[in-house]
Amino acid sequence: MGKAKYDFSSFSELDFYKKVNTRLIELAEVDKLAKIIELGCGTGGVTELILDRVNSAKNTVIYAIDSSATAISTSLSRLESRKEAILKFIQTEAQNLQNTVKDQVDSVIYCNSIHYINNKMDMVNQIKKSLKKGGTFAFNTSFYSGSHPPETEIFLRKWMLKTIRLLKKRYGIMPVKVKKVESRVQLTPDNYTELILSNGFYIKEKEVIEVNVPLDGWYHICSFRDWIEGVLPGVPLSKGKEILQETVKELFDEMNIKTLQRNWLSVVAVKK
Ligand SMILES: C[S@@+](CC[C@H](N)C(=O)[O-])C[C@H]1O[C@@H](n2cnc3c(N)ncnc32)[C@H](O)[C@@H]1O
């Protein structure tokens, strides 16, 4: 049996997730762009959506950056046959952007990953330096203050209670208590606006998309390492995944629901 990867690929294949990112890419008008940096490219789901839209193999370069070696290697094998652009995959922290890509580009795309960064001021400043004047910075995130609608909190609380009870009963283990790391301290949409404006951008589009996430979405996110480690710190990944998937299914049944809402903040900004 192959080694479990606990990566983002099964989640990134889901229709609703592709729609959210497609919307951002369309707002950023990537089909008109020649040089693109994609930060936090993961297993290549968004890179693929970008490739579907670019129209000149000769002139388009995509620098796709992720800190995870396994995610980069999945992206490489997944996209090796794509010829619509020159693809340059780079395994490094997004925070090393200025030392990594010397080119100035037309667009920086950053899907569902900016919330990992502690020093967002420095990150956005680096992104600005990487862009040509008039270049576009487009990002989205579902980890910001306001991404959980208040009416879903009861579900999330019940889910965690069920999970912790079952973990204890089946395996005799509990998550460990950890101090909140800076990246888990979530910004509000207004904080993001301030961050962008104070770095010399103007905002072209900013929207909150209300997404009715089906059971599939919640089920597949439970196979992603960062999610398991975030909600069940210290719990072995295989056990965390098993219990979280079991309890989320049970709870959807018990509460007789088909979807649970989550909001995505989506911003397209232009360098002045
Ligand atoms: C939720 S996934 C999103 C992947 C991809 N953007 C997508 O939407 O399919 C977040 C990705 O960010 C990467 N990541 C987290 N912190 C990072 C950092 N500091 N620098 C670069 N990548 C990072 C993770 O390895 C993971 O692949």
Side-chain angles (χ1 to χ4, degrees), residues 8 12 17 21 38-46 65-68 71 92-95 110-113 115-117 140 143 221 224 226:
F8 198 64
S12 75
Y17 187 66
N21 293 318
E38 188 198 350
L39 293 172
C41 65
T43 48
V46 174
I65 294 176
D66 201 283
S67 54
S68 155
T92 188
E93 299 272 325
Q95 294 92 319
Y110 206 172
C111 285
N112 241 337
S113 190
H115 46 265
Y116 285 91
I117 303 295
N140 62 18
F143 289 84
I221 201 65
F224 181 41
D226 299 2

Side-chain angles (χ1 to χ4, degrees), residues 7-49:
D7 69 13
F8 198 64
S9 43
S10 63
F11 184 86
S12 75
E13 288 306 315
L14 297 170
D15 268 357
F16 83 87
Y17 187 66
K18 284 188 179 177
K19 270 190 202 147
V20 170
N21 293 318
T22 299
R23 168 112 185 108
L24 183 78
I25 290 167
E26 282 172 0
L27 287 174
E29 301 183 59
V30 290
D31 52 334
K32 296 191 185 142
L33 303 169
K35 283 185 181 169
I36 299 165
I37 293 173
E38 188 198 350
L39 293 172
C41 65
T43 48
V46 174
T47 325
E48 198 163 53
L49 296 176

Side-chain angles (χ1 to χ4, degrees), residues 111-176:
C111 285
N112 241 337
S113 190
I114 193 168
H115 46 265
Y116 285 91
I117 303 295
N118 291 347
N119 188 344
K120 294 185 183 60
M121 188 57 94
D122 176 68
M123 189 70 253
V124 175
N125 189 259
Q126 289 198 49
I127 290 170
K128 185 187 75 182
K129 288 183 183 152
S130 294
L131 280 167
K132 296 175 188 165
K133 191 164 183 259
T136 303
F137 170 36
F139 72 92
N140 62 18
T141 174
S142 62
F143 289 84
Y144 67 94
S145 173
S147 53
H148 296 295
E151 61 277 16
T152 63
E153 270 162 25
I154 175 106
F155 177 96
L156 298 171
R157 254 201 318 273
K158 280 189 178 178
W159 186 18
M160 283 314 112
L161 270 176
K162 249 183 186 302
T163 297
I164 285 167
R165 266 195 220 123
L166 190 56
L167 255 180
K168 206 170 164 197
K169 185 170 164 217
R170 190 171 296 166
Y171 294 115
I173 54 175
M174 297 275 280
V176 294

